[in-house]
Amino acid sequence: PQVKDATVVRVLPDKLEIAIKERHPIAWLDCPEQNIFPKVKANGILLDDEAVALPCTQMRPEYVYYPTISARGLAAVKAGRAIDSDRMINALELINVTNAVFCDHGLEIVEIKLVNDYSLLARFNNQTTVTFKLTDIGRQVDDLRAIFEDALRKGRLLKTVNLLPERNIAITYADGHRVPAEIEAIPKAIPVEPLESIESLESEAGSQRRVLRAVRRSIPTVNAIAPSPSVDADLDSILYR
């Protein structure tokens, strides 16, 4: 079952060259209904990216860190045969894409549950649980990367992310605080220039008031019979408003 492809070439006069392409597992299968359990040599089944069942003939050290795909209601699993399940193919695609995108972040999928016909439930090694839909895996993983990076900048730990909707993605944090994805924190206002003291502002206002009074005295009175309201009072109210 571990052999994916093989070619045999005769090299004259008396040699044969055999090239073998091996299948490389990327996940464990968990299916108690068929007595299949993950991360054990006995009754352990590994899966490659084409969902081909590979019996665990030897427990290599790297196998311990492979994620688990939990499934129920599968057809009989046979060694060397691909599992006939579109959801299984989607789950394996999700593992490959997340490994490529989050390789620098240290994030890995620990377990994927095939919960229903339209979604996958993935648990990461930081205890974040993410709900994916079966299609458009690449777009969802890109959205998840942006959400993870935003949480990292805020110093918060994600608890759950629901990627089923393309917009208004629901997020919960580990402390139970729920925040819509599109709401961003409003930064505090930072003064561009240092603020002047109140004493300097009052002295500047007083000098401006004296200049305006001098200008008012130099302007001739147009209508002395109907005097206007007190200009001093108006200036004082404006300058000290």
Side-chain angles (χ1 to χ4, degrees):
Q2 286 78 11
V3 177
K4 184 176 183 178
D5 191 14
T7 57
V8 181
V9 178
R10 180 183 179 184
V11 181
L12 296 175
D14 54 358
K15 291 183 179 180
L16 290 178
E17 289 184 355
I18 303 175
I20 296 176
K21 185 181 293 185
E22 227 180 331
R23 293 189 180 276
H24 299 284
I26 62 173
W28 290 93
L29 176 62
D30 180 20
C31 186
E33 298 172 344
Q34 301 188 36
N35 197 31
I36 298 174
F37 300 97
K39 301 184 179 181
V40 292
K41 183 177 179 180
N43 299 327
I45 294 292
L46 292 155
L47 302 172
D48 72 346
D49 54 2
E50 296 179 351
V52 174
L54 308 173
C56 182
T57 56
Q58 57 177 335
M59 181 63 72
R60 295 182 180 179
E62 62 269 22
Y63 289 174
V64 179
Y65 302 100
Y66 286 175
T68 299
I69 300 178
S70 299
R72 301 294 183 270
L74 295 177
V77 177
K78 297 181 180 180
R81 300 288 183 88
I83 297 175
D84 186 14
S85 171
D86 292 336
R87 295 184 301 161
M88 186 68 68
I89 295 296
N90 296 136
L92 293 167
E93 179 188 359
L94 179 60
I95 292 173
N96 282 328
V97 175
T98 53
N99 287 342
V101 172
F102 295 122
C103 59
D104 296 333
H105 295 70
L107 290 172
E108 295 179 349
I109 291 178
V110 175
E111 182 183 14
I112 296 179
K113 292 183 178 180
L114 309 184
V115 291
N116 48 45
D117 294 335
Y118 58 86
S119 66
L120 305 172
L121 191 65
R123 180 169 60 87
F124 284 78
N125 56 351
N126 64 347
Q127 302 305 315
T128 301
T129 302
V130 184
T131 303
F132 293 87
K133 65 179 181 179
L134 298 179
T135 59
D136 203 7
I137 297 294
R139 191 271 307 167
Q140 295 179 85
V141 173
D142 288 339
D143 289 345
L144 183 61
R145 177 177 59 180
I147 293 170
F148 270 129
E149 291 175 351
D150 179 70
L152 184 62
R153 286 193 298 268
K154 294 178 180 178
R156 308 191 69 179
L157 179 62
L158 290 169
K159 184 178 181 180
T160 63
V161 180
N162 186 359
L163 293 170
L164 291 180
E166 295 185 9
R167 299 181 181 179
N168 300 323
I169 297 173
I171 299 171
T172 61
Y173 292 98
D175 57 2
H177 183 59
R178 187 180 183 91
V179 179
E182 66 231 25
I183 295 180
E184 298 181 359
I186 301 175
K188 294 182 178 180
I190 301 175
V192 178
E193 298 179 356
L195 298 176
E196 300 181 10
S197 63
I198 296 177
E199 291 80 4
S200 63
L201 291 175
E202 289 180 347
S203 62
E204 182 180 354
S207 62
Q208 291 178 355
R209 186 170 64 254
R210 288 192 295 272
V211 170
L212 290 174
R213 285 178 177 175
V215 171
R216 181 181 57 80
R217 293 191 186 97
S218 63
I219 299 175
T221 303
V222 177
N223 188 359
I225 298 176
S228 62
S230 173
V231 178
D232 290 339
D234 292 344
L235 291 174
D236 289 343
S237 64
I238 294 173
L239 293 174
Y240 288 96
R241 182 177 299 169

